[in-house]
Amino acid sequence: MIDRRTALAGMAALFGAPLFAPIARAAGLVGKDQRPVISEGPPSVQVFTAPQRALMTQLSERVIPTTDTPGAIKAGVPDYIEKLLADWALPQERIPILAGLDATEAKCLQDYKVPTAQATPEQLDALLTAAMNAQFADGAPFFAAFRQLVITGYYTSEIGMTQEQEYLPVPGEYHGDYLYSNVNKVYTA
């Protein structure tokens, strides 16, 4: 049985950028003596205001939307992000996320004249793209860290590990003539 910490350590290799420090710390890759292993349950501190949490939830679902498998919200990614930032992030490490959410809200009001709570999915996608491309202040650092949080939260969740991916033990049978078109899931070893 794989636990979330082991899965987090495995996820670290997937990112082509430096790993967001709270993720690395939670995976046990750095600063092992800086934070104790945290328990299950609610976050130890409130990280987000209500509007920030609502926006973080909306954007999580835009990064990994519901398709033929559950999306970020169903996988509990928003709760994971809040717990990770509350219990594994140093206060200054929360700044890119909080400042980015506020900047995204301001960009939505500026560009679309509506708050993000009323933005369409297409508008939210455009805001994430603008953040990724550093088209507004605090956008690029926010996007890099936020994307890592959503991906690690999703792929280390029960849904991510059991419904999105399947475990294929090694060694397995070799079928050299297996058609790639028959592959419907990503297999991990």
Side-chain angles (χ1 to χ4, degrees):
M1 185 76 174
I2 190 167
D3 66 2
R4 192 167 217 162
R5 179 170 260 196
T6 303
L8 275 172
M11 290 291 301
L14 294 178
F15 294 106
L19 197 60
F20 188 46
I23 297 170
R25 195 174 295 114
L29 300 175
V30 297
K32 294 179 184 187
D33 56 7
Q34 292 179 7
R35 293 272 208 221
V37 174
I38 58 174
S39 62
E40 295 293 323
S44 60
V45 297
Q46 181 178 343
V47 175
F48 302 109
T49 64
Q52 286 172 333
R53 189 170 208 299
L55 177 56
M56 179 267 298
T57 300
Q58 286 178 287
L59 294 178
S60 295
E61 188 70 14
R62 298 312 307 153
V63 173
I64 301 183
T66 298
T67 57
D68 58 333
T69 56
I73 293 173
K74 182 77 172 173
V77 170
D79 292 334
Y80 164 83
I81 290 173
E82 189 152 19
K83 178 75 170 171
L84 188 88
L85 291 177
D87 296 347
W88 289 96
L90 302 173
Q92 66 270 21
E93 292 168 341
R94 297 178 191 137
I95 293 171
I97 301 299
L98 299 175
L101 289 170
D102 292 342
T104 302
E105 183 69 41
K107 178 81 169 151
C108 188
L109 288 169
Q110 175 189 339
D111 290 0
Y112 305 115
K113 311 297 185 242
V114 296
T116 53
Q118 296 173 10
T120 65
E122 294 77 18
Q123 291 169 331
L124 293 172
D125 290 346
L127 290 166
L128 281 171
T129 300
M132 177 181 68
N133 294 326
Q135 295 174 345
F136 60 90
D138 299 319
F142 162 73
F143 183 80
F146 185 72
R147 180 177 164 270
Q148 286 186 18
L149 287 168
V150 173
I151 291 170
T152 56
Y154 186 80
Y155 285 102
T156 61
S157 72
E158 183 177 349
I159 285 174
M161 283 192 248
T162 61
Q163 293 182 39
E164 181 71 22
Q165 299 184 71
E166 290 182 23
Y167 176 71
L168 181 61
V170 176
E173 292 183 38
Y174 174 72
H175 299 283
D177 59 348
Y178 193 77
L179 297 175
Y180 187 75
S181 60
N182 293 335
V183 175
N184 61 2
K185 290 194 177 188
V186 175
Y187 293 90
T188 61

